[in-house]
Amino acid sequence: MTRRGLLIILSSPSGAGKSTLAGRLRAWDDTLRFSVSATTRAPREGEVDGQHYFFVSVPEFQGQVADGGMLEHAQVFGNYYGSPRAPVQEAINAGRDVLFDIDWQGAQQISNSALQEHVLSIFILPPSITELHRRLVSRGQDAPEVIEKRMQKSWDEISHWDGYDYVLVNDDLDATEARLKTIISAERLRRSQQPQLVDHVRGLQTEFGDRT
């Protein structure tokens, strides 16, 4: 193994371009994989266990939380959702990066987890609130009342921008994509991500000692 994998967290208010950027990152590097969440809700039609979600019972989910088996978790509308630690740990050990599309609360939990040294957190800001609203409207996916709820929630999300390693203003999609790639490429070279360096330096020390 030449390096350890990264836990790449992308967060943003709805409409800032996070999902589009995540898709471009996966097109750039097809080894990037989204973390598969666990949930206690019932599978919907067409959903496959282990692909869309890990479907578990409430006692099983709570047991994993108690045992430290969830990197982050939350209860939403009566159902539990969380990110299982084991598959992420396996990916990191194999040198594969895992992508997380989560909010600031989940990001905070993962950043404080046992895998925090491998976390790379990035927050995406819109260029303006007016532009954020325009993007939500132009998507044509939500009713006006839903868009208004998203806009009301956006400020709470934006207020946590300073809890991230990097913050990017997505005023130009191509430029933001380029900056994201630069950040990830550099972070992959972080000393803590290269376990082979210790042995390499020891080898250099031995070689140097043999010359004296």
Side-chain angles (χ1 to χ4, degrees):
M1 182 180 62
T2 58
R3 70 176 182 90
R4 294 187 177 97
L6 291 168
L7 282 74
I8 304 172
I9 296 173
L10 288 182
S11 299
S12 77
S14 181
K18 173 184 59 179
S19 297
T20 300
L21 289 165
R24 289 194 176 198
L25 286 178
R26 294 188 68 189
W28 167 62
D29 184 346
D30 60 10
T31 66
L32 277 173
R33 292 288 183 270
F34 273 113
S35 172
V36 178
S37 298
T39 183
T40 58
R41 74 161 173 77
R44 295 173 182 150
E45 184 177 354
E47 289 183 331
V48 179
D49 183 46
Q51 179 180 337
H52 298 94
Y53 286 94
F54 294 109
F55 296 99
V56 299
S57 66
V58 172
E60 184 179 356
F61 190 100
Q62 292 175 332
Q64 289 188 42
V65 171
D67 293 338
M70 289 288 174
L71 292 172
E72 56 86 22
H73 66 280
Q75 189 174 18
V76 182
F77 300 122
N79 294 306
Y80 289 102
Y81 294 83
S83 301
R85 174 180 171 177
V88 176
Q89 181 77 68
E90 181 181 344
I92 286 174
N93 292 343
R96 298 193 305 271
D97 301 325
V98 183
L99 198 58
F100 289 81
D101 180 348
I102 54 178
D103 64 14
W104 68 268
Q105 292 169 309
Q108 191 174 64
Q109 290 183 56
I110 292 178
S111 295
N112 293 325
S113 73
L115 301 181
Q116 59 183 283
E117 67 174 314
H118 307 295
V119 171
L120 165 59
S121 61
I122 306 167
F123 195 88
I124 308 297
L125 286 171
S128 68
I129 298 302
T130 300
E131 174 62 14
L132 184 68
H133 183 264
R134 187 198 67 78
R135 290 177 185 178
L136 287 173
V137 172
S138 66
R139 293 194 311 194
Q141 297 177 350
D142 301 314
E145 58 270 22
V146 175
I147 291 175
E148 186 55 34
K149 287 180 180 179
R150 293 189 186 279
M151 289 298 299
Q152 291 173 0
K153 186 181 178 183
S154 67
W155 180 246
D156 178 59
E157 295 168 325
I158 290 172
S159 68
H160 296 279
W161 67 275
D162 58 351
Y164 288 74
D165 297 321
Y166 295 88
V167 179
L168 300 176
V169 177
N170 185 22
D171 50 0
D172 180 277
L173 193 59
D174 291 338
T176 305
E177 177 189 356
R179 291 195 291 267
L180 269 177
K181 291 176 181 178
T182 298
I183 291 169
I184 293 171
S185 296
E187 288 289 324
R188 285 171 171 174
L189 297 175
R190 196 193 307 167
R191 188 181 65 190
S192 61
Q193 297 304 111
Q194 300 186 74
Q196 83 286 356
L197 287 179
V198 173
D199 288 337
H200 182 73
V201 172
R202 285 173 180 165
L204 293 176
Q205 290 171 332
T206 299
E207 183 181 358
F208 188 82
D210 290 341
R211 291 172 52 86
T212 59

